């Protein structure tokens, strides 16, 4: 896997973590020293060949990278586009999240901290964190909304199996945002010996930049694999966007390739018109949430509005600040995909390719199905679309089974 | 000098600590919160800290979270907070506002500063806004003559204590412990050290908050700090009571106990 993290000069963010007007640090003063310590450790590590070599060895030898770029022929025939799947679902722990977690676990060890905490929605980040904690012999506490512990019971069991303590969060909407609040409160109280291993490219500086750099290998690999496979860059890159780490991971290496269209697909839930969605960019406005300025689902008083998505991993009322910046600059386009559209794409991939995708990633598949006809018309030929298949769907079998009504009744 | 500054000076001249009592706006209702804050003033609380309820209060423990949730579920709006501030300021006690940043950003920073000044508020305590991100607020607070209270923490470096206090006006808020709001059984060992570090770099009064809930604790904190800030313990009086009448009675009793504490500092 690639650990090329070089960022050309003049690119975002600035030294204080601002992506244009987004990003920054909106945190209690108590956390500033720890964020500064993390920032220093991260910059030192990124300039340290030993660190980069160890990270690369873990990604290859432990996580199973580089992940394949798979030409999905039968799905492509249905899509009317050549769809190339970046198979992050084949990584150890079943999603792209392992890249970020291994990077931050290495940093935790370098900072001499013995305890990691994490928030999780679908449980994928929690499982990845628990995995790395086991590997690095760190104490691990995962905060998870009570609603999510029920819809993702399998992942709760996996985390406990790996030795982590899972704390169900019963405040607020009892989902990912509340888990993040609780993790922040834990961190404020235990910052001396604890690293908060944030699971997406959001939160206060340096998290958005650091997490992006730990996952940007996805795009570096996909770009080269696409060139090797097709002899050219793709016409479009598609990814789902909740907090946005998998999307940034696959977008970032393509940002300078202005001919490559970047599409982020947000969770449109039951439909934008119903208000029951998690599409922060499409349906939200600029605000401050969880330490950063970004697009937020909020009312006019700045109170966060509960998000809704069939996918626990996208069920978050904010988004990483770099996505807000990519949106405003016009470099990436963000479109909503409903629960129903995502589930139709989920079923189509199962039946055409024998791959059960995560419901999160199914939003990207549905997005590719949506944009394919427009792109084909625009280009006058079959378009090539790289889709980040960010995670596998084992954890979603119960949700999908209920959705499609295929479970045997008692 | 701001009204808070005058109040701190007077308390200092009297050889006692200043008691700051916190209550979320709209908890348990808009009228109930005005009644509660008025009762606190009548029972010896010197300064009222009105907290704007927020959906994601990461610096607050379970008591303030619960009270904020009740206020928001009751439909309290930012405009109601300004009305509450105006009503409580009419008692004559200085009223400071504590708020997470997003409600202010959505109201409009300049517009909020204008309306806060018009309502008689003295300024803002900003738990998730550090001076580096506060450009708009620095300008607006200057324009409308409002105080700015940023937080310092036991984990703040000397350089940050110096920078942060240089941006404060009115008073400095020292967080006694590494953690969130909520009464604790023990008073903090870190707080006196932090207060003396603050005093090395500023003449502004220093208020200490987080974890204070009894008269004895208030007396201990008043022994080394200028102000004693109490929130969760006061709010709990209302949360634990069967009805508002009982709650207000308990609130008066605790306010008087705390007021007695700051008048008998243990040095």
């Amino acid at each position: 896997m690639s650990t090329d993290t070089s960022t050309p000069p003049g690119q975002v963010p600035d030294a204080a973590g601002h992506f244009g007007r987004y990003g920054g640090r909106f945190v209690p003063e108590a956390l500033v020293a720890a964020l500064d310590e993390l920032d220093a450790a991260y910059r030192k590590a990124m300039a340290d060949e030993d660190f980069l070599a160890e990270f690369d060895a873990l990604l290859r030898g432990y996580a199973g990278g580089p992940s394949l770029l798979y030409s999905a022929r039968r799905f492509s025939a249905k899509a009317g586009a050549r769809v190339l799947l970046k198979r992050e679902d084949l990584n150890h722990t079943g999603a792209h999240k392992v890249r970020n977690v291994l990077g931050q676990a290495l940093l935790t060890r370098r900072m001499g901290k013995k305890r990691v905490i994490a928030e999780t929605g679908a449980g994928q980040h929690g499982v990845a964190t628990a995995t790395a904690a086991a590997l690095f012999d760190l104490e691990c506490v995962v905060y998870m909304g009570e609603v999510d512990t029920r819809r993702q019971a399998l992942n709760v069991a996996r985390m406990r199996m790996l030795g982590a303590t899972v704390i169900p969060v019963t405040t607020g909407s009892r989902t990912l945002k509340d888990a993040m609040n609780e993790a922040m409160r834990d961190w404020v109280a235990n910052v001396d010996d604890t690293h908060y291993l944030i699971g997406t490219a959001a939160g206060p500086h340096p998290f958005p930049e650091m997490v992006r750099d730990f996952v940007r290998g996805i795009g570096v690999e996909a770009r080269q694999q696409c060139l090797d496979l097709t002899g050219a860059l793709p016409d479009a890159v598609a990814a789902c966007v909740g907090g946005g780490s998998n999307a940034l991971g696959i977008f970032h290496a393509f940002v300078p390739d202005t001919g490559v269209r970047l599409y982020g697909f947000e969770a449109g839930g039951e439909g934008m018109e119903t208000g029951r969605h998690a599409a922060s960019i499409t349906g939200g406005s600029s605000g401050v949430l969880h330490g950063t300025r970004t697009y937020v689902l909020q009312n006019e008083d700045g109170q966060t509005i509960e998000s809704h998505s069939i996918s626990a991993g996208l069920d978050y009322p904010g988004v990483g600040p770099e996505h807000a910046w990519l949106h405003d600059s016009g470099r990436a386009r963000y479109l909503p995909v409903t629960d129903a559209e995502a589930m139709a794409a989920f079923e189509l991939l199962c039946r055409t390719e024998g791959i059960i995708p995560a419901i999160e990633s199914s939003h990207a598949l549905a997005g590719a199905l949506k944009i394919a006809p427009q792109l084909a018309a625009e280009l006058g030929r079959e378009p090539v679309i790289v889709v980040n298949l960010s995670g596998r769907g084992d954890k979603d079998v119960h949700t999908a089974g209920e959705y499609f009504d295929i479970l045997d009744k008692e | 000098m701001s009204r808070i500054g005058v109040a701190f000076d007077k308390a200092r001249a009297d050889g006692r600590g200043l008691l700051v009592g916190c209550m979320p706006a709209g908890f348990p209702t808009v009228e109930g919160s005005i009644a509660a804050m008025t009762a606190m003033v009548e029972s010896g609380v010197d300064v009222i800290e009105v907290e704007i309820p927020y959906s994601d209060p990461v610096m607050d423990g379970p008591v303030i979270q619960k009270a904020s949730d009740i206020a928001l579920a009751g439909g309290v709006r930012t405009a109601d907070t300004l009305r509450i501030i105006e009503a409580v300021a009419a008692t004559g006690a200085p009223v400071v506002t504590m708020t997470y940043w997003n409600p202010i950003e959505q109201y409009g920073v300049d517009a909020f500063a204008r309306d806060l000044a018009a309502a008689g508020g003295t300024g803002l305590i900003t738990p998730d806004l550090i001076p580096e991100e506060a450009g708009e607020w620095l300008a607006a607070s200057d324009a409308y003559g409002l105080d700015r209270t940023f937080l310092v923490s036991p984990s703040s470096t000397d350089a940050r204590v110096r920078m942060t206090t240089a941006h404060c006006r009115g008073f400095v808020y020292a967080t006694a412990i590494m953690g969130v709001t909520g009464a604790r059984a023990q008073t903090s060992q870190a707080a006196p050290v932090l207060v003396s570090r603050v005093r090395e770099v500023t003449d502004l009064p220093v208020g200490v908050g987080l974890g204070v809930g009894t008269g004895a604790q208030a007396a201990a904190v008043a022994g080394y700090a200028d102000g004693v800030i109490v929130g969760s313990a006061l709010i709990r009086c209302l949360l634990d009571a069967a009805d508002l009448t009982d709650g207000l009675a308990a609130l008066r009793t605790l306010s008087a106990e705390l007021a007695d504490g700051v008048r008998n500092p243990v040095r």
Side-chain angles (χ1 to χ4, degrees), chain B residues 86-98:
Chain B
E86 190 164 15
V88 178
T91 66
V95 179
V96 62
T97 303
M98 137 108 184

Side-chain angles (χ1 to χ4, degrees), chain A residues 26 38 63 128 146 249 284:
Chain A
F26 294 84
L38 177 63
E146 195 190 39

Side-chain angles (χ1 to χ4, degrees), chain A residues 153-240:
Chain A
L154 174 67
N155 272 343
V156 173
R158 289 169 80 197
M159 288 184 267
R160 289 187 174 141
M161 211 78 78
L162 291 160
T165 303
V166 179
I167 301 183
V169 174
T170 56
T171 54
S173 59
R174 306 178 180 210
T175 58
L176 181 54
K177 99 176 164 69
D178 307 286
M180 203 151 175
N181 289 340
E182 277 307 300
M184 290 272 226
R185 291 180 187 121
D186 179 314
W187 204 31
V188 170
N190 299 295
V191 68
D192 280 350
D193 72 342
T194 297
H195 174 61
Y196 179 13
L197 212 158
I198 292 184
T200 191
H205 178 64
F207 282 102
E209 180 186 6
M210 178 180 74
V211 173
R212 175 198 76 194
D213 286 351
F214 285 146
V215 296
R216 77 181 292 278
I218 302 170
V220 173
E221 293 165 15
R223 190 176 180 282
Q224 188 58 50
Q225 289 166 326
C226 186
L227 286 170
D228 293 345
L229 198 66
T230 71
L233 291 172
D235 298 303
V237 174
C240 65

Side-chain angles (χ1 to χ4, degrees), chain B residues 79-91:
Chain B
D80 296 320
T81 302
L82 290 163
R83 190 156 66 81
I84 292 164
I85 290 165
E86 190 164 15
V88 178
T91 66

